[in-house]
Amino acid sequence: MMYLILRPVVLGVMFLLLPCIAMAGQATEFRVWPSHGVLLDTTGELSVHDILSEKAEWATMQNTHSAQHGYQTQPAWFRFTISASTDKPEQMYLELGTPFLDYVDFYFVQVTPQGKNILMHSVAGDQQTFLSNVFGHRFPVFPFEVAQTGDYQVYLRVQSSSALIFPMNFHVTNGFFAEEFKAQAFYGLFFGMMAVLAFYNGYVWLFMRDRAYLYNMAFILSAMLYQASISGFGSQYLWGQGSFLNDKGYGIGILATIFFAGRFAVRFIDLRNRLPALAKFTDITVSIFGLLLLPVVVLPENQILPVIYVMELLICLYAIGALLHQCMTGNYWARYLMAGWSVLITGTLFFVASQMGWIAHNVLIEYIHAAGLALGNVMVTSALAARMQRERSEKNKAMKKVLDLAQEVTELTREKEQIAASARDELDRRVDQKTRDLSIMLEQLKTSNEKLEHATLTDALTGVGNRRYLDNMFPEMIKQCQQTRTSLGVLVIDADHFKRINDEFGHIMGDECLKKIAVILQRFSRRNLDVLVRYGGEEFILLLPATDEGGVLKVAESIRHHIQYASFWCNDQRIPVTVSIGMHAGVPAAHVTAESLLVKADEALYQAKKNGRNRVELYRARYESANA
C-alpha cells in the first residue's frame, strides 16, 4: 500500500520540477524595467497618438509583468520600458500568456530627444487574424527587433470579453524557444499521463461495469478539456481559433470536471451506504454544476464565470470537510481519496484565487494547477488498483470460509445420521441454515472469479490482450470465418533488435517502447471483431477477420510505417524502433488449427527477419520447404 502512495508522489515531484525549471530567467544586454504602466480607457476612444502625447495618467504596477484587472468592458493600455546597452541588433518577443484575448494592438516605440517614433505595429487576438503570430503559437506572440542603444517602449491595447488576468513575458530568441520547449514538455507529460489514466479507467469499466471507473474517466477527460483551453494547446492543435470550444470549452470543462468528480467520489467511498444524507446532498450539489452548462453556453463569460469561481471555491472546501469527516469515521477508501485530492484541490485553490484577484497570477500557478490534477489522479487511480487487490484478497478469504463451511456441513451430516430420531428436526434446521450460507458464499465466489477472469485476460504492461485471451478467441474466430467463408488475416509482429534496445537504453525504456508499440497497434484494431494480444516479450499478434490478403497487407505496411516513424525518445536521444511482420491471409480450411496458422505467419516473420528486418512478408508455401 505504501508503494502505491510513494510512486505518484515521486511523479508529482517531477511535475513540480519542470515548471520551476521553466521559470528560470536568462541574462541579456536588454533590460526590461520590472514595473509597467496601466491605463484603463474608460471612453474607449483613446488612440495611440493620444497615448504617446504624455497627457494620459498612467498607474504604475511595481515588480510585476502580469495583468491583474479582471473583466473590463473598455480597452486597457499597458506600457513597458526597455533599455538597450549594445548596438548589436537583437530579436525579442513579447508573449501574452492567455489564448482568450479578443483584440490586441502592439506598438513598438523608440524614445528619442526629439520625441517618440512608432517603429512597428502588429495586431492579434482570437477575434481577428493573427497577423503577427508567425509561429502559429498557442498564445499571442509579438516579435520585434531592438537595433541600437537607447530606450524603447512597448504599448499594448487589449480588449476582451474574457478576464484580463494573464502573464506578459519578454524573451530573446534563445530564451523564447527554450521556454516554449519546456512548456511543451510539461504539458506533453501532463496530457500523456491523463490520457493513459483515462484509458485505464475506461478499460477497467468496460470489463467490470463499475461506474466509479466510468465517472473517473469522464472526470479526467473533462479536466483535460479545460486544461487544453487555458494552456492554449486546444486552440493550437485541436479546434483552432475562433471556434465554439475556444470561447466556451474552459467553462464547460470546469463544470464537467466538478460534476463527474463528485459522482466518482460518492461511489468510490461508498457514501450512499455509509451516510445516505451526505451522499444525497453531494449529488444535489454537483448536479447544480451540471445544470450550469446551459448558462455557460448562453451567457457572456463575465456574467457566469465569476459565479462559477465562487462555487468552485466552496465545493473544494466542502470536499475537504466531507473527506475529513469520512476519514475520522473510519472510511478506509476516503483516506486514499483525501491523499490524492489534497494536492489536486490545493492546485485548484491557488488557480481560483489568482483568477479572483486575491493573489498575483503567473505561469507557475498554471503549472502547479496542472501538476496537482495529474498527481491527484495518479494517486486516485492507484487507490482504485489497491481496491481491486483488496477485493481479490477478500475473494481468497471467502474461498477459505466456503471450504470451512463445507467441512462443517459434512460433519453435521455425519452427526445427523448418528443422533437419535428425537433430535432429527433440530439437526435438519441447522444443516439447512449452513447449506443456505454455503450457497451465498458460492455465489460470492462465482462473482469474484468472474472479476478475476477479466483481469487474467489482459497483459499487465501494455493493456492489450494476453496469450490466454488469444487461446480463447482464436478458435472461435477460425470457426466463424469457416462458417461465413471469409478471409482471416494473421499478423505476427516482432520488434527488431529489441535486446539491443534493452541493453543500450535499459529495460524500463524498453517497456515504454513496448507500451507505445501497443498504442500504435490499437489504432489498427478498432473493429469489434479484431483481436490484438501481446504474445510474449516483444512479439504481438493481430487477428483481422473478414479481411482479404490485400487488406491485411495494407494494414501490415501501415503498422510498420507508423512504428518506424513514431517518436521513441530516451532523454534527448531518439530510439530507432522498427518491426518485422509475418502475415498469412485466407479462408481457413476445414481442419485448420490456430497453431498451424500461427506457424505459417511465424514462418513469414522468419523470412522478414532473414531478408533484412523492418519489412512485411506474406506467407508462401515455399517457406516451409525452404526451412525444412
Side-chain angles (χ1 to χ4, degrees):
M1 295 298 182
M2 183 60 66
Y3 171 71
L4 293 174
I5 296 177
L6 290 179
R7 180 173 57 183
V9 169
V10 173
L11 291 175
V13 172
M14 294 171 58
F15 250 119
L16 293 176
L17 286 177
L18 275 176
C20 292
I21 295 173
M23 294 299 292
Q26 301 88 21
T28 177
E29 295 177 323
F30 300 87
R31 176 175 179 265
V32 181
W33 291 21
S35 60
H36 70 274
V38 178
L39 176 63
L40 299 180
D41 183 3
T42 57
T43 64
E45 299 177 355
L46 291 177
S47 67
V48 66
H49 299 290
D50 297 328
I51 295 298
L52 296 179
S53 67
E54 301 293 346
K55 295 180 180 180
E57 296 183 0
W58 293 83
T60 301
M61 308 301 293
Q62 297 290 343
N63 299 320
T64 179
H65 282 175
S66 176
Q68 203 77 22
H69 303 287
Y71 291 96
Q72 301 291 333
T73 58
Q74 299 299 332
W77 286 85
F78 300 90
R79 180 182 65 189
F80 300 89
T81 301
I82 301 175
S83 297
S85 59
T86 178
D87 287 330
K88 180 182 178 181
E90 179 72 38
Q91 185 80 4
M92 298 187 69
Y93 302 86
L94 171 58
E95 177 189 56
L96 308 184
T98 176
F100 301 128
L101 300 179
D102 295 340
Y103 302 96
V104 183
D105 284 270
F106 168 87
Y107 298 91
F108 182 48
V109 177
Q110 184 179 24
V111 181
T112 66
Q114 292 75 27
K116 297 181 178 181
N117 301 320
I118 299 177
L119 302 180
M120 179 181 177
H121 173 220
S122 301
V123 296
D126 59 12
Q127 297 300 319
Q128 57 189 3
T129 304
F130 269 27
L131 297 179
S132 50
N133 196 349
V134 294
F135 310 109
H137 198 268
R138 55 198 174 98
F139 296 147
V141 175
F142 300 97
F144 60 96
E145 185 178 72
V146 179
Q148 61 187 34
T149 303
D151 291 334
Y152 299 84
Q153 287 183 336
V154 170
Y155 290 86
L156 290 174
R157 182 183 185 273
V158 182
Q159 185 172 8
S160 181
S161 59
S162 300
L164 299 185
I165 300 177
F166 55 91
M168 299 174 286
N169 301 311
F170 287 87
H171 303 281
V172 295
T173 300
N174 292 338
F176 173 74
F177 288 104
E179 294 300 314
E180 182 59 21
F181 175 79
K182 294 171 186 175
Q184 294 273 354
F186 175 80
Y187 279 105
L189 180 60
F190 168 78
F191 287 115
M193 289 179 61
M194 295 289 275
V196 169
L197 294 175
F199 174 80
Y200 169 78
N201 281 274
Y203 188 78
V204 175
W205 170 78
L206 186 64
F207 285 96
M208 299 189 65
R209 296 299 176 180
D210 185 344
R211 279 191 287 176
Y213 294 94
L214 180 63
Y215 287 142
N216 199 36
M217 179 187 70
F219 165 45
I220 295 171
L221 293 176
S222 301
M224 292 174 66
L225 171 63
Y226 87 81
Q227 277 294 325
S229 297
I230 63 177
S231 65
F233 288 105
S235 59
Q236 183 180 19
Y237 293 119
L238 299 177
W239 51 76
Q241 296 290 337
S243 69
F244 170 80
L245 283 177
N246 197 50
D247 293 332
K248 304 296 183 180
Y250 174 48
I252 293 174
I254 292 176
L255 295 176
T257 298
I258 297 174
F259 175 79
F260 288 116
R263 295 289 188 186
F264 164 75
V266 169
R267 295 189 68 89
F268 179 70
I269 64 176
D270 197 22
L271 197 58
R272 287 191 175 87
N273 291 327
R274 298 183 64 90
L275 195 57
L278 186 60
K280 184 176 182 180
F281 179 77
T282 303
D283 285 337
I284 294 173
T285 302
V286 298
S287 296
I288 295 174
F289 286 88
L291 295 174
L292 284 175
L293 285 171
L294 180 61
V296 163
V297 173
V298 175
L299 296 178
E301 178 183 324
N302 60 353
Q303 295 183 17
I304 189 64
L305 273 187
V307 177
I308 293 177
Y309 286 143
V310 174
M311 295 178 63
E312 186 176 9
L313 178 64
L314 294 176
I315 197 69
C316 286
L317 298 177
Y318 168 73
I320 293 174
L323 289 175
L324 283 174
H325 173 267
Q326 287 298 297
C327 290
M328 294 173 64
T329 55
N331 190 325
Y332 180 80
W333 297 112
R335 300 171 187 172
Y336 274 99
L337 196 60
M338 186 68 186
W341 277 14
S342 59
V343 290
L344 186 153
I345 292 174
T346 300
T348 301
L349 290 176
F350 271 105
F351 183 77
V352 172
S354 69
Q355 293 299 306
M356 298 180 72
W358 295 349
I359 60 176
H361 180 79
N362 56 57
V363 69
L364 182 59
I365 289 179
E366 296 182 5
Y367 284 135
I368 292 175
H369 185 33
L373 279 171
L375 176 59
N377 279 290
V378 168
M379 296 181 70
V380 170
T381 302
S382 299
L384 288 170
R387 190 170 74 168
M388 291 179 63
Q389 180 65 30
R390 185 169 184 175
E391 288 175 352
R392 181 179 300 179
S393 176
E394 291 175 351
K395 186 209 74 168
N396 293 334
K397 293 179 181 178
M399 182 181 298
K400 184 178 182 302
K401 190 173 182 179
V402 166
L403 293 176
D404 292 342
L405 284 171
Q407 183 178 0
E408 187 175 352
V409 168
T410 302
E411 293 174 355
L412 287 173
T413 303
R414 187 182 301 112
E415 181 182 352
K416 174 183 176 183
E417 295 173 354
Q418 298 174 353
I419 296 178
S422 59
R424 189 177 301 275
D425 291 340
E426 176 63 20
L427 186 59
D428 286 341
R429 186 189 67 79
R430 294 174 62 190
V431 171
D432 291 341
Q433 179 62 43
K434 294 299 182 180
T435 303
R436 284 194 295 270
D437 292 342
L438 177 61
S439 298
I440 294 173
M441 297 307 298
L442 288 173
E443 186 64 27
Q444 292 176 350
L445 178 61
K446 179 182 177 182
T447 302
S448 298
N449 282 330
E450 290 175 352
K451 291 183 179 179
L452 183 59
E453 179 70 16
H454 285 301
T456 57
L457 295 177
T458 303
D459 179 58
L461 175 64
T462 61
V464 302
N466 58 17
R467 190 164 185 169
R468 181 179 178 185
Y469 180 62
L470 178 68
D471 293 339
N472 292 343
M473 296 298 296
F474 207 165
E476 291 297 325
M477 190 168 291
I478 292 174
K479 183 178 179 181
Q480 184 177 1
C481 289
Q482 289 171 340
Q483 292 174 347
T484 58
R485 301 298 298 167
T486 55
S487 177
L488 173 61
V490 181
L491 300 182
V492 179
I493 305 153
D494 188 82
D496 297 328
H497 301 299
F498 198 74
K499 183 178 183 303
R500 184 187 305 168
I501 294 175
N502 280 332
D503 293 342
E504 183 174 351
F505 299 96
H507 288 276
I508 294 179
M509 187 53 62
D511 289 348
E512 293 300 320
C513 291
L514 289 178
K515 291 179 183 178
K516 189 160 187 177
I517 290 174
V519 171
I520 294 174
L521 293 176
Q522 285 172 330
R523 301 175 188 167
F524 296 91
S525 59
R526 295 181 176 177
R527 300 183 305 175
N528 292 335
L529 296 178
D530 295 344
V531 173
L532 171 63
V533 300
R534 181 187 176 199
Y535 198 62
E538 63 271 20
E539 189 172 67
F540 296 83
I541 292 177
L542 177 59
L543 304 182
L544 300 173
T547 308
D548 59 17
E549 180 178 298
V552 176
L553 181 60
K554 183 177 180 181
V555 171
E557 283 292 351
S558 297
I559 290 173
R560 185 197 63 77
H561 180 272
H562 276 73
I563 293 176
Q564 180 182 1
Y565 294 101
S567 295
F568 295 85
W569 293 90
C570 179
N571 297 328
D572 294 330
Q573 181 178 358
R574 187 178 186 275
I575 304 175
V577 178
T578 61
V579 294
S580 298
I581 301 176
M583 58 166 281
H584 175 271
V587 178
H591 302 292
V592 74
T593 64
E595 181 180 3
S596 64
L597 294 181
L598 285 178
V599 168
K600 292 178 179 179
D602 197 56
E603 289 292 339
L605 173 64
Y606 172 79
Q607 289 298 320
K609 295 286 187 179
K610 183 178 179 181
N611 293 337
R613 294 182 170 85
N614 189 22
R615 60 187 292 114
V616 177
E617 287 290 344
L618 175 65
Y619 171 78
R620 305 294 183 187
R622 65 175 181 271
Y623 291 163
E624 291 183 351
S625 60
N627 290 331

